Amino acid sequence: MKLVRPRRRTLLLLAAIALAALLLVSAPWGWTVIAAHGHVHDEADAPTADVAIVLGTEVTLDGTPSPRLAGRLETAAELVKSGRARVILVSGDSHGGSGDEPAAMAAYLTSLGVDAQRIVTDSYGLDTYDTCIRARDVYGVTRALAVTQSYHVRRAVTLCRHLGIDTDGVVARCHCPITLLVEKSVRDYFASGKAVWDAVRNRAPAISSPQDPSLQQALAAQKAATK
């Protein structure tokens, strides 16, 4: 009996340490879930906003959007066609390892019937945080719909809202297998830690740019056309 009790105490201590570690690791993810609560929507019940932000991801070897990126763009195109958004800001890495994301995104949107005058490209949305802060500081966005897949949308909404953009997320279509969704969900779970770190230290974007009036000009043109 004397040996059992110390062993039991040791097991309880290890279990408590493991639980504390799990809570610590999960806290950033929990922040994104709580902060985005009530601000994530399906395509069919999305609210309206002047701007839909499409967050970039890799393109294929032939320079076309990957299945996940195509799903995001198709969703954004429908938001414009249904009148839920006026202009689309495509944000990605123009010098990424897989190719020029914003150029591929803009070309795909035009192939879906979106007027090129409704599309603005940000070539330096190197990650989710950079996309949000540049949308605010470079393009003057104050209200937006963030379009991305379900595993990513809460983190995108949380970061954009933290940076002062009144943001609702729209869950994008995803032409991808369930295994990929699981893999990306796990990745995003851990990426929430970086999101918290970026937010807490108010990180500057990797690439700083002067204010760009192109998005506001595109909005003005669309509003004038509908008067």
Side-chain angles (χ1 to χ4, degrees), residues 40-46 53-55 57 65-82 84 108-109 112 114 146-153 169-178 180-181 184:
V40 176
H41 310 271
D42 292 327
E43 178 186 319
D45 64 358
I53 301 174
V54 182
L55 293 104
T57 188
S66 63
R68 283 183 297 133
L69 185 53
R72 298 177 191 184
L73 296 165
E74 290 164 12
T75 301
E78 286 303 316
L79 292 174
V80 168
K81 292 174 183 177
S82 66
R84 289 183 167 89
Y108 192 73
L109 283 170
L112 295 174
V114 178
V147 183
T148 186
Q149 273 81 29
S150 58
Y151 59 83
H152 181 211
V153 68
V170 181
V171 178
R173 306 170 189 181
C174 191
H175 309 302
C176 43
I178 188 65
L180 182 61
L181 284 176
K184 295 300 180 182

Side-chain angles (χ1 to χ4, degrees), residues 38-148:
H39 298 289
V40 176
H41 310 271
D42 292 327
E43 178 186 319
D45 64 358
T48 61
D50 282 344
V51 182
I53 301 174
V54 182
L55 293 104
T57 188
E58 71 270 8
V59 297
T60 61
L61 292 175
D62 63 1
T64 58
S66 63
R68 283 183 297 133
L69 185 53
R72 298 177 191 184
L73 296 165
E74 290 164 12
T75 301
E78 286 303 316
L79 292 174
V80 168
K81 292 174 183 177
S82 66
R84 289 183 167 89
R86 295 177 184 269
V87 173
I88 301 174
L89 174 63
V90 294
S91 180
D93 188 352
S94 62
H95 304 287
S98 66
D100 189 337
E101 294 172 11
M105 294 161 78
Y108 192 73
L109 283 170
T110 57
S111 76
L112 295 174
V114 178
D115 185 346
Q117 294 183 343
R118 290 178 180 259
I119 305 167
V120 176
T121 61
D122 178 9
S123 297
Y124 300 108
L126 306 186
D127 61 15
T128 305
Y129 182 90
D130 279 17
T131 288
C132 293
I133 197 169
R134 287 178 57 82
R136 183 194 71 183
D137 293 348
V138 179
Y139 297 96
V141 177
T142 57
R143 163 78 181 142
L145 302 176
V147 183
T148 186

